[in-house]
Protein backbone atom coordinates (compact mmCIF):
# COMPACT_ATOMS: atom_id res chain seq x y z
CA UNK A 1 0.00 0.00 0.00
CA UNK A 2 2.83 2.41 0.77
CA UNK A 3 4.38 1.78 -2.65
CA UNK A 4 1.08 2.42 -4.45
CA UNK A 5 0.44 5.54 -2.40
CA UNK A 6 3.89 6.97 -3.09
CA UNK A 7 3.53 6.15 -6.79
CA UNK A 8 0.16 7.90 -6.98
CA UNK A 9 1.54 10.90 -5.10
CA UNK A 10 4.51 11.12 -7.49
CA UNK A 11 2.32 10.89 -10.59
CA UNK A 12 -0.08 13.56 -9.35
CA UNK A 13 2.74 15.82 -8.17
CA UNK A 14 4.48 15.46 -11.54
CA UNK A 15 1.41 16.62 -13.46
CA UNK A 16 0.59 19.51 -11.12
CA UNK A 17 4.23 20.54 -10.76
CA UNK A 18 4.81 20.71 -14.52
CA UNK A 19 1.71 22.81 -15.08
CA UNK A 20 2.55 25.06 -12.13
CA UNK A 21 6.11 25.51 -13.35
CA UNK A 22 5.01 26.48 -16.85
CA UNK A 23 2.47 29.01 -15.59
CA UNK A 24 4.80 30.48 -12.96
CA UNK A 25 7.60 30.89 -15.50
CA UNK A 26 5.35 32.70 -17.97
CA UNK A 27 4.17 35.10 -15.26
CA UNK A 28 7.66 35.66 -13.82
CA UNK A 29 9.14 36.29 -17.29
CA UNK A 30 7.01 39.43 -17.54
CA UNK A 31 8.96 41.02 -14.67
CA UNK A 32 12.31 39.19 -14.35
CA UNK A 33 15.10 38.20 -16.69
CA UNK A 34 16.10 34.53 -16.65
CA UNK A 35 12.83 33.51 -15.02
CA UNK A 36 13.61 29.95 -16.05
CA UNK A 37 16.31 29.89 -13.35
CA UNK A 38 14.51 32.02 -10.78
CA UNK A 39 11.32 29.94 -10.59
CA UNK A 40 13.02 26.56 -9.90
CA UNK A 41 15.33 28.20 -7.37
CA UNK A 42 12.44 29.66 -5.38
CA UNK A 43 10.33 26.50 -5.47
CA UNK A 44 13.25 24.30 -4.34
CA UNK A 45 13.26 26.06 -0.97
CA UNK A 46 9.77 24.92 0.14
CA UNK A 47 10.47 21.56 -1.51
CA UNK A 48 13.52 21.08 0.73
CA UNK A 49 11.69 22.23 3.86
CA UNK A 50 8.70 19.97 3.20
CA UNK A 51 11.01 17.06 2.45
CA UNK A 52 12.75 17.63 5.79
CA UNK A 53 9.39 17.70 7.59
CA UNK A 54 8.27 14.56 5.79
CA UNK A 55 11.36 12.70 6.96
CA UNK A 56 11.69 13.93 10.52
CA UNK A 57 8.24 15.12 11.64
CA UNK A 58 6.33 12.48 13.65
CA UNK A 59 2.96 12.77 11.91
CA UNK A 60 0.35 10.20 10.82
CA UNK A 61 0.74 8.40 7.51
CA UNK A 62 -2.05 10.35 5.82
CA UNK A 63 -0.48 13.67 6.75
CA UNK A 64 2.89 12.37 5.60
CA UNK A 65 1.49 11.64 2.14
CA UNK A 66 0.04 15.15 2.03
CA UNK A 67 3.38 16.72 2.93
CA UNK A 68 5.11 14.48 0.40
CA UNK A 69 2.64 15.57 -2.29
CA UNK A 70 3.38 19.23 -1.60
CA UNK A 71 7.13 18.60 -1.53
CA UNK A 72 7.14 16.70 -4.83
CA UNK A 73 4.90 19.28 -6.48
CA UNK A 74 7.42 22.00 -5.66
CA UNK A 75 10.21 19.68 -6.79
CA UNK A 76 8.66 19.01 -10.23
CA UNK A 77 8.20 22.73 -10.92
CA UNK A 78 11.71 22.87 -12.38
CA UNK A 79 10.88 20.57 -15.31
CA UNK A 80 9.00 23.07 -17.50
CA UNK A 81 11.44 25.99 -17.07
CA UNK A 82 14.44 23.79 -17.78
CA UNK A 83 12.79 22.31 -20.88
CA UNK A 84 11.91 25.84 -21.98
CA UNK A 85 15.52 26.97 -21.60
CA UNK A 86 16.78 23.92 -23.48
CA UNK A 87 14.59 24.36 -26.55
CA UNK A 88 14.89 28.15 -26.77
CA UNK A 89 18.68 28.39 -26.37
CA UNK A 90 19.61 25.59 -28.77
CA UNK A 91 19.49 25.66 -32.54
CA UNK A 92 16.59 23.82 -34.16
CA UNK A 93 18.70 21.11 -35.76
CA UNK A 94 20.33 20.28 -32.39
CA UNK A 95 17.22 20.21 -30.19
CA UNK A 96 16.51 16.50 -30.57
CA UNK A 97 20.07 15.48 -29.62
CA UNK A 98 20.20 18.04 -26.81
CA UNK A 99 16.90 16.90 -25.32
CA UNK A 100 17.96 13.26 -25.48
CA UNK A 101 21.30 14.04 -23.83
CA UNK A 102 19.57 16.10 -21.16
CA UNK A 103 17.16 13.28 -20.29
CA UNK A 104 20.02 10.75 -20.27
CA UNK A 105 22.19 12.84 -17.93
CA UNK A 106 19.20 13.61 -15.70
CA UNK A 107 18.72 9.90 -15.02
CA UNK A 108 22.41 8.95 -14.89
CA UNK A 109 23.26 11.73 -12.44
CA UNK A 110 19.97 11.41 -10.55
CA UNK A 111 17.98 8.25 -9.98
CA UNK A 112 20.84 5.94 -11.09
CA UNK A 113 23.46 7.06 -8.59
CA UNK A 114 21.23 8.21 -5.72
CA UNK A 115 20.23 4.74 -4.37
CA UNK A 116 23.87 3.57 -4.04
CA UNK A 117 24.86 6.85 -2.38
CA UNK A 118 22.00 6.64 0.13
CA UNK A 119 22.77 2.96 0.66
CA UNK A 120 26.41 3.66 1.48
CA UNK A 121 25.48 6.41 3.93
CA UNK A 122 22.86 4.14 5.49
CA UNK A 123 25.39 1.34 5.94
CA UNK A 124 27.93 3.68 7.49
CA UNK A 125 25.46 5.41 9.82
CA UNK A 126 23.27 2.33 10.46
CA UNK A 127 20.23 4.52 9.88
CA UNK A 128 18.20 4.86 6.68
CA UNK A 129 16.55 8.02 8.02
CA UNK A 130 19.95 9.65 8.49
CA UNK A 131 20.91 8.68 4.95
CA UNK A 132 17.70 10.16 3.55
CA UNK A 133 18.64 13.57 4.94
CA UNK A 134 20.83 14.02 1.88
CA UNK A 135 17.70 14.51 -0.22
CA UNK A 136 16.63 17.84 1.23
CA UNK A 137 20.27 18.98 1.34
CA UNK A 138 20.50 18.28 -2.40
CA UNK A 139 17.36 20.33 -2.97
CA UNK A 140 18.86 23.31 -1.15
CA UNK A 141 22.04 22.98 -3.23
CA UNK A 142 19.95 22.90 -6.41
CA UNK A 143 18.21 26.09 -5.29
CA UNK A 144 21.58 27.79 -4.79
CA UNK A 145 22.85 26.69 -8.21
CA UNK A 146 19.74 27.96 -10.01
CA UNK A 147 19.89 31.24 -8.07
CA UNK A 148 23.49 31.69 -9.20
CA UNK A 149 22.33 31.10 -12.75
CA UNK A 150 19.63 33.74 -12.32
CA UNK A 151 22.00 36.30 -10.81
CA UNK A 152 25.18 35.70 -12.81
CA UNK A 153 24.13 34.64 -16.32
CA UNK A 154 23.12 37.22 -18.94
CA UNK A 155 19.58 37.03 -20.32
CA UNK A 156 19.20 33.95 -22.46
CA UNK A 157 19.02 34.56 -26.19
CA UNK A 158 16.93 32.26 -28.35
CA UNK A 159 18.14 31.09 -31.79
CA UNK A 160 15.97 33.88 -33.25
CA UNK A 161 17.77 36.53 -31.18
CA UNK A 162 14.95 37.28 -28.72
CA UNK A 163 15.83 38.24 -25.14
CA UNK A 164 13.83 39.25 -22.09
CA UNK A 165 13.99 42.87 -23.22
CA UNK A 166 12.33 41.86 -26.50
CA UNK A 167 9.45 40.42 -24.48
CA UNK A 168 8.90 43.84 -22.93
CA UNK A 169 8.38 45.45 -26.34
CA UNK A 170 4.71 44.50 -26.28
CA UNK A 171 4.57 42.72 -29.63
CA UNK A 172 2.51 39.59 -29.81
CA UNK A 173 5.28 37.70 -31.56
CA UNK A 174 7.80 38.30 -28.79
CA UNK A 175 5.31 37.55 -26.01
CA UNK A 176 4.45 34.12 -27.40
CA UNK A 177 5.47 31.40 -24.94
CA UNK A 178 7.19 28.21 -26.02
CA UNK A 179 4.76 25.31 -26.20
CA UNK A 180 5.08 21.69 -27.25
CA UNK A 181 3.33 22.56 -30.51
CA UNK A 182 5.81 25.33 -31.25
CA UNK A 183 8.70 22.97 -30.51
CA UNK A 184 7.61 20.32 -33.00
CA UNK A 185 6.36 22.81 -35.59
CA UNK A 186 9.31 25.20 -35.38
CA UNK A 187 11.13 23.63 -38.32
CA UNK A 188 8.10 23.88 -40.61
CA UNK A 189 7.48 27.43 -39.39
CA UNK A 190 11.03 28.50 -40.16
CA UNK A 191 10.92 26.86 -43.57
CA UNK A 192 7.70 28.68 -44.39
CA UNK A 193 9.17 31.95 -43.10
CA UNK A 194 12.28 31.46 -45.21
CA UNK A 195 10.11 30.61 -48.21
CA UNK A 196 8.00 33.69 -47.66
CA UNK A 197 11.13 35.82 -47.35
CA UNK A 198 12.47 34.36 -50.60
CA UNK A 199 9.18 35.06 -52.35
CA UNK A 200 9.18 38.61 -51.02
CA UNK A 201 12.76 39.15 -52.22
CA UNK A 202 11.92 37.72 -55.66
CA UNK A 203 8.85 39.95 -55.87
CA UNK A 204 10.91 42.96 -54.83
CA UNK A 205 13.55 42.25 -57.46
CA UNK A 206 10.90 41.76 -60.17
CA UNK A 207 9.20 44.98 -59.10
CA UNK A 208 12.47 46.92 -59.27
CA UNK A 209 13.22 45.51 -62.73
CA UNK A 210 9.74 46.47 -63.92
CA UNK A 211 10.13 50.00 -62.57
CA UNK A 212 13.50 50.38 -64.28
CA UNK A 213 12.00 49.16 -67.57
CA UNK A 214 9.16 51.65 -67.28
CA UNK A 215 11.59 54.46 -66.48
CA UNK A 216 13.69 53.61 -69.54
CA UNK A 217 10.61 53.54 -71.79
CA UNK A 218 9.43 56.90 -70.41
CA UNK A 219 12.87 58.42 -70.95
CA UNK A 220 13.02 57.10 -74.51
CA UNK A 221 9.58 58.50 -75.28
CA UNK A 222 10.42 61.87 -73.79
CA UNK A 223 13.81 62.14 -75.60
CA UNK A 224 13.58 60.26 -78.92
CA UNK A 225 16.81 59.40 -80.66
CA UNK A 226 17.28 61.71 -83.73
CA UNK A 227 18.89 58.90 -85.71
CA UNK A 228 15.99 56.61 -85.10
CA UNK A 229 13.51 59.36 -85.98
CA UNK A 230 15.36 60.02 -89.29
Amino acid sequence: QAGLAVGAVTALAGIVGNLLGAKATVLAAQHFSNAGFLVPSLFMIPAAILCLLCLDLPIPAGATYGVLLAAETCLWVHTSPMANISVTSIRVELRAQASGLQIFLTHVLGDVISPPIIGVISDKSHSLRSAMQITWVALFLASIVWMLGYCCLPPLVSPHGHTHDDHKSGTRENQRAVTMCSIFCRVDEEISIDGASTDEESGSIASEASNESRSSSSAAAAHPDPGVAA
Side-chain angles (χ1 to χ4, degrees):
Q1 292 180 351
L4 291 175
V6 172
V9 165
T10 302
L12 180 59
I15 296 173
V16 177
N18 274 271
L19 296 175
L20 178 60
K23 186 64 176 178
T25 303
V26 171
L27 294 177
Q30 299 176 4
H31 306 283
F32 302 98
S33 299
N34 283 344
F37 292 110
L38 177 63
V39 171
S41 176
L42 295 179
F43 274 90
M44 282 299 120
I45 297 175
I49 295 174
L50 291 171
C51 184
L52 173 62
L53 296 178
C54 186
L55 289 172
D56 297 337
L57 195 65
I59 55 178
T64 301
Y65 292 137
V67 176
L68 180 62
L69 175 62
E72 290 199 36
T73 299
C74 295
L75 169 63
W76 284 106
V77 163
H78 80 278
T79 307
S80 294
M82 290 299 103
N84 192 356
I85 290 174
S86 298
V87 299
T88 54
S89 61
I90 298 174
R91 294 182 60 85
V92 175
E93 62 271 18
L94 299 177
R95 285 177 180 172
Q97 299 92 319
S99 297
L101 181 62
Q102 182 184 30
I103 294 172
F104 174 76
L105 293 177
T106 299
H107 289 288
V108 169
L109 301 177
D111 49 355
V112 171
I113 64 174
S114 56
I117 293 175
I118 293 177
V120 169
I121 298 176
S122 177
D123 292 339
K124 298 294 184 179
S125 63
H126 303 289
S127 172
L128 180 58
R129 173 171 292 182
S130 298
M132 291 294 292
Q133 305 301 318
I134 194 175
T135 55
W136 62 266
V137 174
L139 296 181
F140 269 125
L141 291 177
S143 177
I144 294 174
V145 170
W146 275 320
M147 184 57 68
L148 289 175
Y150 167 72
C151 296
C152 300
L153 293 180
L156 292 176
V157 179
S158 72
H160 301 284
H162 299 313
T163 64
H164 172 72
D165 294 332
D166 297 329
H167 289 272
K168 291 183 177 179
S169 62
T171 59
R172 185 177 184 84
E173 177 68 21
N174 291 336
Q175 290 179 348
R176 183 178 57 188
V178 175
T179 61
M180 293 303 294
C181 180
S182 67
I183 295 170
F184 290 111
C185 299
R186 180 66 66 184
V187 176
D188 296 335
E189 180 183 343
E190 292 186 350
I191 291 175
S192 63
I193 291 175
D194 293 339
S197 300
T198 304
D199 293 340
E200 290 178 0
E201 292 176 358
S202 300
S204 178
I205 293 173
S207 178
E208 291 177 0
S210 177
N211 292 334
E212 290 179 359
S213 177
R214 292 176 182 176
S215 299
S216 300
S217 300
S218 299
H223 304 283
D225 189 350
V228 174

